[in-house]
Amino acid sequence: MDITKIGKFIGALHRRFQIAMNHELTLPEINASNANFLLFINEHDGVTAKQITTELAINKGLVSRELTRLEHASYITRTPDDSDRRITWIRITPKGKAACKTIRQLKQSLWDQVLGDVPANDVELVYTQLEAWSEQAKKFDQTK
């Protein structure tokens, strides 16, 4: 087995899902990238842009642009911290929560198509392993 191909497969899966999401999404101002941001914000309401950047391993310029797009479309709000104006809290709006429901349904549908008849135990094993590898890879963040 050529272990270096794991990255190729993960990258190809990600890109194909991004393309499918962009094709299927009909929500105004939502694309595959900021859909993931919105889901993250929904799960971590009261988050900062730096936390999004760190947790999703996305550059801060892209995060800033997409957050501006989401804010202008009323999916999120950004509020400066009262005690430290350098910090801005990002919160999801009711419109954002409704969008997350649609995004999750679409993602579920796409995964159902890809996974087909794969047993739930196998899916859980892959999920657990990918989660562990993702945590291990966070050490690369410190080498910047």
Side-chain angles (χ1 to χ4, degrees), residues 29-140:
E29 298 296 320
I30 298 287
N31 59 42
S33 290
N34 63 25
N36 289 325
F37 297 171
L38 196 59
L39 290 174
F40 183 82
I41 295 163
N42 189 47
E43 294 168 6
H44 304 89
D45 202 26
V47 69
T48 66
K50 182 174 174 113
Q51 290 169 314
I52 295 169
T53 299
T54 301
E55 286 300 314
L56 299 181
I58 308 286
N59 75 60
K60 63 184 178 179
L62 176 61
V63 170
S64 178
R65 283 189 304 277
E66 295 301 340
L67 290 178
T68 297
R69 180 177 288 160
L70 290 171
E71 184 178 35
H72 286 158
S74 301
Y75 293 112
I76 63 166
T77 60
R78 291 193 278 189
T79 309
D81 187 274
D82 292 334
S83 60
D84 186 346
R85 299 304 252 181
R86 295 172 296 177
I87 298 173
T88 299
W89 298 107
I90 302 162
R91 292 193 167 74
I92 195 148
T93 65
K95 180 179 177 180
K97 286 186 179 290
C100 284
K101 184 177 179 183
T102 299
I103 294 164
R104 284 192 176 287
Q105 289 170 342
L106 176 56
K107 282 183 171 267
Q108 185 66 53
S109 172
L110 293 173
W111 275 111
D112 288 348
Q113 291 175 53
V114 169
L115 296 174
D117 296 336
V118 177
N121 289 346
D122 290 351
V123 174
E124 184 66 32
L125 177 63
V126 170
Y127 174 86
T128 301
Q129 199 60 61
L130 285 171
E131 183 179 37
W133 293 340
S134 181
E135 284 301 311
Q136 277 292 104
K138 285 182 179 178
K139 68 182 174 190
F140 301 141

